[in-house]
Amino acid sequence: MKRQFLLLTFLTFQLIQGQQNELPFTEIGAYPENYTAQGIVHRLISGLGYRFYWASSELRPEDLNYRPSKDSRSTSEIMEHIYNLSATIAATLERSSVESDHGQMTYQELRVGTLNHLQRAVSALDSVSDLSELSINIVRPTQTYEFPFWHLINGQISDAIWHTGQVVMNRRASGNPIKSGVNVFSGQNNF
């Protein structure tokens, strides 16, 4: 019985590790030879994805519940905010509307969902020929809001990068710094 339990535990760990390894943005791929507006936005979102991947990797309950002060968001609440920002980024690049009612989500659902939103966003850039044709469309129960693409850059993308830094800071303060060897300058890992 003990041997079966150990085998089941090992297989479960391997499954979780396999799912972790399948997530996008463990590293950033090669950059294009030419500079284009789409290429720059792609790299910006990929940089966010890479930072978020490692900032949110292997968080413990005490990391998720950590808040620097009683008036600040917990790491889990910050991750939920980043999830919503990433949903808007993906919807905008896919030319769809954003509705932000997703219900309660687990840490893994927030992490995987955010990374998948960002992957969808960079994939959608392949079919965008003119960024000025894109707009942010946010649907609320009583009104729909539309903003030009410029707002996505200084709004959701920049805000998600900002809050990913908060996750890094919080996890460091709760005793669980990001893995040594993550190199945000190159987007490649040194381990």
Side-chain angles (χ1 to χ4, degrees):
M1 184 68 143
K2 184 177 180 181
R3 177 181 257 171
Q4 290 172 334
F5 175 76
L6 290 173
L7 179 61
L8 181 61
T9 302
F10 174 75
L11 291 174
T12 302
F13 177 76
Q14 293 293 12
L15 178 64
I16 291 169
Q17 284 299 104
Q19 289 173 340
Q20 292 268 24
N21 293 338
E22 293 174 16
L23 292 174
F25 303 111
T26 57
E27 292 189 318
I28 301 175
Y31 42 82
E33 290 183 27
N34 300 313
Y35 288 88
T36 64
Q38 290 81 350
I40 291 168
V41 172
H42 186 290
R43 194 71 175 185
L44 189 61
I45 295 171
S46 295
L48 164 60
Y50 179 72
R51 283 168 169 78
F52 182 81
Y53 180 95
W54 291 105
S56 63
S57 177
E58 300 175 4
L59 293 178
R60 309 165 303 181
E62 57 265 38
D63 303 320
L64 293 167
N65 294 323
Y66 180 81
R67 62 180 78 232
S69 70
K70 63 180 176 126
D71 296 333
S72 62
R73 290 178 178 160
S74 69
T75 301
S76 182
E77 291 165 340
I78 294 168
M79 286 184 62
E80 183 175 354
H81 182 57
I82 296 169
Y83 174 90
N84 289 328
L85 295 168
S86 71
T88 303
I89 294 167
T92 299
L93 291 168
E94 293 173 334
R95 301 170 196 245
S96 62
S97 298
V98 180
E99 296 182 40
S100 62
D101 185 22
H102 55 75
Q104 191 71 11
M105 298 176 74
T106 66
Y107 152 67
Q108 278 293 42
E109 290 169 334
L110 289 170
R111 181 169 193 262
V112 171
T114 298
L115 291 167
N116 286 333
H117 284 154
L118 297 174
Q119 181 61 52
R120 285 181 21 227
V122 295
S123 295
L125 275 166
D126 293 339
S127 65
V128 174
S129 59
D130 184 358
L131 294 173
S132 70
E133 295 174 358
L134 299 175
S135 61
I136 304 169
N137 296 299
I138 300 173
V139 178
R140 297 288 187 248
T142 60
Q143 193 170 356
T144 299
Y145 302 92
E146 184 173 341
F147 303 94
F149 181 78
W150 290 113
H151 290 270
L152 195 74
I153 297 169
N154 61 276
Q156 286 81 357
I157 295 172
S158 296
D159 200 30
I161 293 169
W162 174 289
H163 291 298
T164 298
Q166 286 181 304
V167 173
V168 171
M169 181 192 71
N170 283 2
R171 72 177 295 163
R172 188 176 301 141
S174 64
N176 185 15
I178 64 169
K179 188 173 185 172
S180 179
V182 172
N183 186 331
V184 296
F185 178 74
S186 69
Q188 304 295 307
N189 301 321
N190 300 323
F191 47 81

